[in-house]
Amino acid sequence: METVVVTHPIVQARLTVMRDERSSNAEFRAALRELATLLVYEATRELAVADVPVTTPVAPTTGTAIANPPLLVPVLRAGLGMAEAAFNLLPESQMGFVGLARDEQTHVPHPYMASLPASLAGRPVIVLDPMLATGGSLKHCLELLHERGATDVTVLCALAAPEGVQLIAESGLAGRLFVASVDERLNENAYIVPGLGDAGDRQFGPR
Ligand code: URA
């Protein structure tokens, strides 16, 4: 799996706001939104485009359209905080949803929802999930996408642990991963270290 660590100064500054334990839920959400915008921008450089005729107030010319808009797939609940940013940059795209809750004892993902088109053959897919920790949830999500014929899958994460990156790489399921940082490791509770805590709780408040 190709892994791109996005080292842009604005990405790293927003990630630092997200890491800071003093950031409020609102500050965390704003930083994630902006970071997601920049990750989408980086990850879509190679999107297929088509020439389209356009007439300016001065003269007719040729413009650009997104030829094959991607399906955006936020992984609930934490991926919700990246969804609006991605939709704003790609208003011609569609959105599917995968819902996964992690068992706090076993750290095994528990799927509770998949709302996806029946066929994803020939369609680029962008998965939005701020945290790639053990990789279990993302692997499950990628399996759902591949069962539906997806072959062009890009994953956008704020943070990853080396263990999760390795699991996804070994699964052979994701084409590319864009991430702001690959941190040191997972702790005994499968939290990323130094990480930023629970990305769902940091956005929406504790359950
Ligand atoms: N999920 C989170 O929200 N945070 C972690 O550190 C690991 C998984």
Side-chain angles (χ1 to χ4, degrees):
M1 177 181 57
E2 183 194 350
T3 301
V4 178
V5 179
V6 182
T7 57
H8 193 290
I10 300 175
V11 169
Q12 295 303 315
R14 294 306 179 275
L15 178 60
T16 302
V17 172
M18 292 170 63
R19 288 192 193 276
D20 191 335
E21 63 178 3
R22 297 167 306 175
S23 296
S24 67
N25 295 151
E27 288 165 336
F28 186 97
R29 289 195 303 272
L32 176 59
R33 233 179 2 249
E34 289 165 4
L35 190 147
T37 301
L38 295 164
L39 291 180
V40 171
Y41 178 79
E42 282 297 323
T44 51
R45 284 180 186 277
E46 308 294 330
L47 266 191
V49 291
D51 287 347
V52 287
V54 61
T55 304
T56 78
V58 179
T61 185
T62 303
T64 297
I66 307 293
N68 188 14
L71 179 76
L72 306 172
V73 182
V75 178
L76 308 185
R77 106 186 127 125
L80 270 184
M82 303 171 79
E84 189 195 355
F87 236 166
N88 283 344
L89 282 193
L90 291 163
E92 51 286 90
S93 62
Q94 293 180 0
M95 196 169 281
F97 300 89
V98 171
L100 293 165
R102 122 178 145 144
D103 184 308
E104 292 300 337
Q105 258 67 55
T106 63
H107 313 135
V108 173
H110 163 67
Y112 62 87
M113 189 185 61
S115 172
L116 296 166
S119 171
L120 294 172
R123 255 177 116 171
V125 180
I126 300 180
V127 177
L128 308 166
D129 191 352
M131 307 300 273
L132 170 52
T134 64
S137 304
L138 182 59
K139 183 162 176 272
H140 178 82
C141 174
L142 295 173
E143 284 165 355
L144 292 175
L145 299 172
H146 279 252
E147 279 165 17
R148 289 161 172 79
T151 54
D152 175 4
V153 181
T154 301
V155 177
L156 307 187
C157 298
L159 272 188
E163 294 89 333
V165 174
Q166 191 179 342
L167 186 87
I168 299 304
E170 286 169 1
S171 77
L173 290 167
R176 303 182 309 158
L177 167 68
F178 286 77
V179 63
S181 172
V182 179
D183 275 8
E184 286 165 26
R185 61 185 169 87
L186 293 177
N187 70 12
E188 57 287 2
N189 297 317
Y191 277 86
I192 298 175
V193 180
L196 49 75
D198 186 302
D201 291 357
R202 297 288 313 272
Q203 290 177 73
F204 307 117
R207 277 167 286 184

